[in-house]
Amino acid sequence: MKRLVNVILVLVILVLLALGLRDVFGYVKVNKENTSLRELAVKIPREGQGIDPNDPFYRMIDFEQLQSINPEIVGWIYVPGTGIDYPVLVGDTDTEYLRMDYNGAYSIYGTIFGFADADIVFDEHVCLFGHNTTNGLMFGDVRNYLNQDWANEHTKMYFYTPERVKECTFFSAFTCYMNDELFSAMSLSSDELEELVSSVKSRSVVTVENMPTDAGQVYTLSTCNGFNTPYRCLSNFLVTRERYVLE
């Protein structure tokens, strides 16, 4: 009996080791692919052009290159000081990119994506989704916004499209059920947007001082609040500065 128990323990250890190695190799592969994509697509302005090259507001994204890889790449998201620096895709269905990478290949990590019917430039409320990972890939850092110190230190998010750059300021973080009515609020009137901002702010578990007063557009980053759970962790940003991309 003791020998049988030892055999079972060894088999369990081997299975766990195999799963761990699979996760490590998967992480290395996905991280390498996304690093290569960033090197291809993200352009930092040179000094002497009259702008601060260290200001992400003036980052340039080569969407021509990106859309030659996949025409469903519609944007790019960057949160300084975190691992969030990825293309954003919109597919034919709401879940197309849940288990698919930007190349269209199967991936347990998926990619960052929006609703199939979303207008990520003009909708007053844009929801973006990504997996919650323990290794920090995709939206693994979104859950950290539930921590007051983290939220205080990571206040800016940048969203890039072929036509515009949007600088966004963090103002709320909380958890909710996956079918929360917040996710259905997309194209809104000015009064509806004002109500949305007020509601999202009131639900926050962290405090934001000097919150922007003008609400032109809200971006919500959503990820699972744990493993295989119907609850979601949200971090919410207001667009506070915007510029057109010049050819």
Side-chain angles (χ1 to χ4, degrees), residues 121-204:
V121 177
F122 295 111
D123 278 347
E124 285 72 23
H125 180 219
V126 177
C127 294
L128 300 176
F129 304 90
H131 284 295
N132 181 356
T133 62
T134 56
N135 55 32
L137 289 175
M138 301 305 152
F139 273 178
D141 280 328
V142 166
R143 66 181 181 273
N144 293 326
Y145 278 95
L146 299 175
N147 177 278
Q148 185 68 61
D149 290 338
W150 176 276
N152 291 343
E153 295 170 3
H154 301 83
T155 61
K156 296 297 182 182
M157 184 269 279
Y158 295 86
F159 194 78
Y160 308 85
T161 72
E163 298 84 19
R164 303 187 184 205
V165 176
K166 300 170 184 280
E167 181 181 78
C168 310
T169 301
F170 171 78
F171 77 102
S172 168
F174 57 92
T175 59
C176 68
Y177 194 67
M178 62 184 294
N179 291 330
D180 194 286
E181 62 181 9
L182 173 74
F183 295 116
S184 63
M186 298 170 63
S187 179
L188 307 173
S189 68
S190 58
D191 288 342
E192 289 170 333
L193 177 60
E194 187 176 341
E195 291 176 8
L196 175 78
V197 171
S198 177
S199 173
V200 169
K201 181 182 178 182
S202 69
R203 298 171 72 178
S204 183

Side-chain angles (χ1 to χ4, degrees), residues 8-247:
I8 292 172
L9 286 175
V10 169
L11 290 174
V12 169
I13 291 172
L14 289 174
V15 169
L16 292 175
L17 181 60
L19 291 174
L21 288 174
R22 185 193 66 176
D23 287 344
V24 169
F25 288 132
Y27 166 80
V28 170
K29 178 179 181 293
V30 172
N31 190 51
K32 182 178 180 180
E33 289 174 349
N34 281 286
T35 298
S36 297
L37 189 67
R38 281 192 288 271
E39 291 173 350
L40 175 70
V42 178
K43 311 298 181 184
I44 306 300
R46 297 187 302 274
E47 293 187 11
Q49 294 181 324
I51 56 179
D52 182 359
N54 297 313
D55 186 347
F57 191 60
Y58 296 105
R59 246 182 169 204
M60 295 174 290
I61 308 297
D62 190 340
F63 280 100
E64 185 176 350
Q65 285 274 15
L66 291 175
Q67 292 178 347
S68 70
I69 297 171
N70 187 337
E72 292 188 325
I73 297 177
V74 295
W76 191 283
I77 184 172
Y78 173 53
V79 183
T82 77
I84 301 172
D85 194 6
Y86 297 107
V88 175
L89 293 93
V90 171
D92 294 328
T93 69
D94 291 342
T95 58
E96 181 176 340
Y97 286 98
L98 186 66
R99 295 295 183 188
M100 188 184 295
D101 66 17
Y102 63 83
N103 282 308
Y106 174 81
S107 170
I108 61 170
Y109 291 103
T111 190
I112 309 304
F113 62 94
F115 286 128
D117 57 346
D119 186 330
I120 63 169
V121 177
F122 295 111
D123 278 347
E124 285 72 23
H125 180 219
V126 177
C127 294
L128 300 176
F129 304 90
H131 284 295
N132 181 356
T133 62
T134 56
N135 55 32
L137 289 175
M138 301 305 152
F139 273 178
D141 280 328
V142 166
R143 66 181 181 273
N144 293 326
Y145 278 95
L146 299 175
N147 177 278
Q148 185 68 61
D149 290 338
W150 176 276
N152 291 343
E153 295 170 3
H154 301 83
T155 61
K156 296 297 182 182
M157 184 269 279
Y158 295 86
F159 194 78
Y160 308 85
T161 72
E163 298 84 19
R164 303 187 184 205
V165 176
K166 300 170 184 280
E167 181 181 78
C168 310
T169 301
F170 171 78
F171 77 102
S172 168
F174 57 92
T175 59
C176 68
Y177 194 67
M178 62 184 294
N179 291 330
D180 194 286
E181 62 181 9
L182 173 74
F183 295 116
S184 63
M186 298 170 63
S187 179
L188 307 173
S189 68
S190 58
D191 288 342
E192 289 170 333
L193 177 60
E194 187 176 341
E195 291 176 8
L196 175 78
V197 171
S198 177
S199 173
V200 169
K201 181 182 178 182
S202 69
R203 298 171 72 178
S204 183
V205 299
V206 296
T207 301
V208 175
E209 297 181 359
N210 302 318
M211 178 179 160
T213 55
D214 295 330
Q217 192 176 29
V218 174
Y219 280 82
T220 293
L221 313 188
S222 173
T223 194
C224 292
N225 187 35
F227 177 73
N228 196 26
T229 170
Y231 293 95
R232 301 294 180 259
C233 174
L234 310 183
S235 60
N236 304 278
F237 295 79
L238 284 169
V239 175
T240 49
R241 189 164 58 142
E242 189 171 357
R243 72 175 178 86
Y244 287 101
V245 176
L246 302 177
E247 294 293 341

